């Protein structure tokens, strides 16, 4: 099937001669990326002449890493050498003048033939169909990293092969929160861009001994954040999902290009709020931003941390302000900062603690059950399985 990325609602009719009748019109880059993630049967993306050249090239470069068999054809109102060179360097197969339907039809035919040849030889790294889960809050200090580390360690302790990526590239705390001495970081992945594989991922992973959780830490030097292109994050997460059952991503409290890249490939976004006006206001802005980017509303869940704190707001007030239901309430407890200071995961160190129980329930209902894990038999180490059911 062909995806046509264009702003014009009549674009399918305009290019019907060249594309046939099965083209699907999408109007934003995130929606194109999501469609390609959800259905790997798409063989061709045709990008309209009014789409920004840099955005078009970014999509092509991102997709050629994970799906070299996918064809990308770029339409332009005028053909010039600079645009042609940039497009071809990024992985666009052909650049065609928008008003030349015959040339477009020929480019489509050639691309489809090449895709058919390549599809028999391309394979995704690893044999898993892992799920990427991004944990985000637009405000710092809400317990996001604590939530990420505890969710990840719990999932790993059930027997699911789990990776936690610290995408707070300037001030990430995942490694220190788990008392790990990282042997690599996200920065080390840059050198492997374009040919990242299982061995490359394992070379930068540090394993948490208490849960068997794998961690890719943030760089030790904050200056390295600017040396990690967003396409490297996309490549890392896509390769990792072929190696792990769950890939969790801890993020900084802002919409950096790396965070947006993580959103693009995520199967679920966990949004964290607390009972204070700035956190609720920022979360409302984050939700509006995700809506603008075309992110799926069904692929996100709201978690209220420290939900029983006596601060003048109630969970009902937060739901009313967000106009979105809260999926999980995690209580307040002084044992949480104590566990962070000791470098242990609370869900393992104190499994009967109310916070641990709430996080396990969140993981069971909003992650494991959502993605079809067989909860009746219970997940025991070494016997993890995902039922490959569609949501």
């Amino acid at each position: 099937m062909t995806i046509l990325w264009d702003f014009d609602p009549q674009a399918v009719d305009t290019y019907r001669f060249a594309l046939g009748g099965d083209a699907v019109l999408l109007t934003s880059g995130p929606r194109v990326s999501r469609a390609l993630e959800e259905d790997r049967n798409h063989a061709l993306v045709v990008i309209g002449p009014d789409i920004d050249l840099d955005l078009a090239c970014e999509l092509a470069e991102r997709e050629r890493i994970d799906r070299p068999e996918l064809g990308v054809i770029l339409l332009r109102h005028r053909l010039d050498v600079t645009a042609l060179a940039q497009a071809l360097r990024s992985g666009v197969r052909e650049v065609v003048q928008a008003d030349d339907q015959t040339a477009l039809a020929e480019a489509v035919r050639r691309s489809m033939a090449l895709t058919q040849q390549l599809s028999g030889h391309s394979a995704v790294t690893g044999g898993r169909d892992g799920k990427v889960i991004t944990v985000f809050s637009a405000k710092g200090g809400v317990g996001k990293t604590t939530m990420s580390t505890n969710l990840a360690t719990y999932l790993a302790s059930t027997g699911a092969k789990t990776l936690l990526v610290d995408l707070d590239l300037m001030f990430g705390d995942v490694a220190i929160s788990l008392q790990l001495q990282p042997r690599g970081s996200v920065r080390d992945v840059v050198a492997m861009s374009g040919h990242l594989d299982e061995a490359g991922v394992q070379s930068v992973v540090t394993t948490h001994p208490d849960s068997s959780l794998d961690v890719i830490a943030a760089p030790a030097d904050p200056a390295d954040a600017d040396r990690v292109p967003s396409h490297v994050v996309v490549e890392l997460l896509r390769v990792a999902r072929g190696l792990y059952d769950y890939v969790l991503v801890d993020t900084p409290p802002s919409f950096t290009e790396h965070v947006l890249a993580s959103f693009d490939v995520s199967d679920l976004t966990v949004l964290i709020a607390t009972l204070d006006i700035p956190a609720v206001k920022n979360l409302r802005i984050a939700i509006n931003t995700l809506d603008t980017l075309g992110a799926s509303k069904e692929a996100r869940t709201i978690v209220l941390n420290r939900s029983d704190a006596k601060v003048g707001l109630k969970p009902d007030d937060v739901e009313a302000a967000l106009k979105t239901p809260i999926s999980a309430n995690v209580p307040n407890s002084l044992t949480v900062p104590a566990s962070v200071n000791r470098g242990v995961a609370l869900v393992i160190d104190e499994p009967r603690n109310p916070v641990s129980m709430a996080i396990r329930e969140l993981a069971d209902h909003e992650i494991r059950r959502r993605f079809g894990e067989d909860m009746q038999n219970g997940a025991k180490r070494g016997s993890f399985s995902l039922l490959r059911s569609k949501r």
Side-chain angles (χ1 to χ4, degrees):
M1 186 176 291
T2 299
I3 292 176
L4 175 59
W5 177 12
D6 202 297
F7 297 134
D8 182 2
Q10 306 301 320
V12 171
D13 291 331
T14 301
Y15 303 112
R16 188 177 297 277
F17 169 78
L19 304 182
D22 66 342
V24 176
L25 178 66
L26 298 175
T27 57
S28 74
R31 289 179 179 173
V32 174
S33 296
R34 174 64 61 179
L36 292 172
E37 281 292 321
E38 293 177 347
D39 186 354
R40 298 188 69 86
N41 290 322
H42 291 300
L44 177 65
V45 177
V46 177
I47 303 177
D50 296 313
I51 302 300
D52 181 78
L53 178 62
D54 290 337
L55 293 178
C57 292
E58 183 180 339
L59 175 82
E61 188 167 6
R62 199 166 58 230
E63 293 300 329
R64 73 174 178 178
I65 294 169
D66 186 47
R67 298 175 60 183
E69 74 278 10
L70 177 70
V72 178
I73 294 176
L74 179 64
L75 302 178
R76 298 285 93 176
H77 291 299
R78 288 190 311 107
L79 300 182
D80 63 79
V81 175
T82 302
L84 181 63
Q86 181 179 347
L88 295 180
R89 280 197 305 269
S90 68
V92 172
R93 285 186 181 170
E94 298 197 37
V95 182
V96 180
Q97 191 153 321
D99 59 0
D100 192 340
Q101 292 271 347
T102 302
L104 176 57
E106 284 298 307
V108 168
R109 182 188 61 77
R110 287 190 294 267
S111 180
M112 289 296 190
L114 180 58
T115 292
Q116 190 171 12
Q117 291 176 3
L118 293 175
S119 60
H121 302 285
S122 62
V124 177
T125 300
R128 298 178 188 264
D129 182 22
K131 306 302 179 183
V132 177
I133 301 156
T134 297
V135 182
F136 180 76
S137 172
K139 180 181 179 296
V142 301
K144 176 175 44 59
T145 296
T146 300
M147 190 70 63
S148 300
T149 54
N150 278 274
L151 280 173
T153 50
Y154 170 64
L155 290 170
S157 70
T158 68
K161 189 171 175 59
T162 306
L163 173 70
L164 176 57
V165 179
D166 193 343
L167 212 56
D168 189 345
L169 300 181
M170 293 189 71
F171 302 109
D173 291 327
V174 166
I176 197 171
S177 296
L178 294 173
Q179 281 193 339
L180 297 176
Q181 295 292 331
R183 61 173 183 163
S185 76
V186 178
R187 173 70 174 87
D188 299 311
V189 179
V190 177
M192 297 178 272
S193 178
H195 52 85
L196 183 64
D197 56 12
E198 181 174 5
V201 171
Q202 294 305 314
S203 71
V204 297
V205 156
T206 305
T207 302
H208 182 241
D210 294 338
S211 65
S212 297
L213 169 70
D214 282 348
V215 172
I216 298 181
D221 184 354
D224 283 340
D226 293 332
R227 302 185 180 102
V228 181
S230 59
H231 69 82
V232 170
V233 173
V234 173
E235 181 180 5
L236 170 61
L237 296 181
R238 287 184 170 169
V239 172
R241 81 188 318 155
L243 305 173
Y244 291 87
D245 297 305
Y246 295 116
V247 179
L248 278 81
V249 184
D250 189 38
T251 57
S254 58
F255 282 101
T256 66
E257 61 176 343
H258 307 102
V259 171
L260 294 175
S262 181
F263 285 149
D264 280 347
V265 298
S266 289
D267 300 285
L268 175 67
T269 301
V270 179
L271 299 171
I272 311 292
T274 51
L275 289 173
D276 61 273
I277 295 296
V280 175
K281 182 265 293 183
N282 286 5
L283 182 55
R284 178 68 260 174
I285 294 173
I287 292 172
N288 290 340
T289 303
L290 288 171
D291 289 342
T292 301
L293 293 172
S296 170
K297 294 181 179 180
E298 290 73 29
R300 70 181 72 145
T301 188
I302 309 295
V303 177
L304 184 60
N305 198 20
R306 306 167 196 148
S307 60
D308 57 350
K310 308 301 182 184
V311 292
L313 281 181
K314 297 180 181 179
D316 290 345
D317 299 325
V318 176
E319 285 192 335
L322 297 178
K323 300 178 182 177
T324 305
I326 294 171
S327 301
N329 291 282
V330 178
N332 190 37
S333 175
L334 293 177
T335 58
V336 174
S339 70
V340 173
N341 289 338
R342 289 187 292 119
V344 298
L346 192 66
V347 289
I348 294 177
D349 192 56
E350 296 185 37
R352 296 186 180 276
N353 186 285
V355 174
S356 299
M357 295 172 67
I359 291 175
R360 287 201 305 272
E361 184 175 0
L362 167 64
D364 288 342
H365 287 272
E366 293 299 320
I367 298 177
R368 299 173 67 196
R369 185 167 293 156
R370 175 189 290 261
F371 295 123
E373 186 177 339
D374 186 358
M375 303 291 291
Q376 292 181 344
N377 297 327
K380 298 180 180 179
R381 184 171 297 280
S383 62
F384 175 83
S385 67
L386 280 177
L387 301 178
R388 307 301 183 193
S389 58
K390 296 287 185 180
R391 278 182 286 155

